[in-house]
Amino acid sequence: MKIKEQFQCPRGSVFIRGGSTGVLLVHSLGGSPLEMKSVAHALSRKGLTVYCPVVPGLTFGTDVSGLSTWQDWYASVSKAFDDLKGMCDNVIIGGASAGSILALRLAAYRQDQISGLMLYAPTLSVNGWAIPKIIRLFHLVTDKWTARLFKFRTPAPYGIKDERIRNFALEAMRGSDNLPADITMRGGGTVYEFFSLVRNVRPMLRLVKLHTLIFHPRHDDQSDIKNTMALQRKLGGMVEVSVLDDSYHLVMLDRQRGYVVDRTVEFVDRILAAQAQNAGRKDVASSSKQLGAAE
């Protein structure tokens, strides 16, 4: 087991030190690591080291000017992965919504260092039933400076079906500073960068051969289930899909979060059990070769 006694994660991140298996979780666009806390704490109770980093530009309130790029986001996620890998022997990664696209890119480039992949309402296209159709016209914008003239408000119900949970989550995401900014607003520059990220990642999907678990609401208000259907066809490895019937986009916060947490923990258990079994087979094979050489 690798250990780094001194590790300082960015302020606002969720980091829970555990054992030699780590889990990296990337939150959604304009969201925060708080989205991931239910899954993070459940995995930590199993003895795993869990890291949900603040990603400058992706995290709410970290890019008011809209000047960050998707390359900046990815560099931050890649560094978080390296930090976690420096502490752990095995790392499983996951992402929510736009964070899932960053996780997929990381998986395409680093899958020899990754044990499994978990995607929560992955978003290749912003095409849920609550999204105004006019956003399609934004795809015609070809430069970021023009894009920054636009602003997009995330429409109600803001990705959460349960009204009580929705009100609580919106307040919690403001943080302890009780920021006055509108947490449902997305700058056009940020949206432009997300669309650019998706265009970059789409051709890489077939290269991702990791065992993958996907959760997607049947009636996702922001990201239609067609997103997951596309991933099922394009990803190169085994893909398991859980279709949720009583949640909207933020599946780790909404009504079926308990099911999402339980299935996530069970998936991680299976990944680790398969690794242990494969390691045992390699040890047996190595021992057999040594005995054969001795004879």
Side-chain angles (χ1 to χ4, degrees), residues 2 18-19 60 63 70 75 98 128 155 183 234 244 248 252 272 278-279:
K2 305 173 185 178
F60 170 71
D63 186 22
W70 69 260
I183 62 176
K234 294 178 180 180
L244 306 178
Y248 288 160
M252 284 182 281
L272 297 181
N278 289 337

Side-chain angles (χ1 to χ4, degrees), residues 16 37 39 46 50 53 57-58 90 94 102 109 115 118 121 136-137 152 156 166 169 177 181-182 188 250 266 293:
I16 309 171
K37 283 188 73 173
V39 170
K46 299 286 290 187
V50 187
L58 189 77
N90 307 304
L102 290 166
Y109 280 102
S115 301
M118 305 177 297
R136 295 175 183 173
L137 298 176
F152 297 96
R166 184 190 313 145
D177 296 329
D182 187 347
L250 297 178
E266 185 265 342

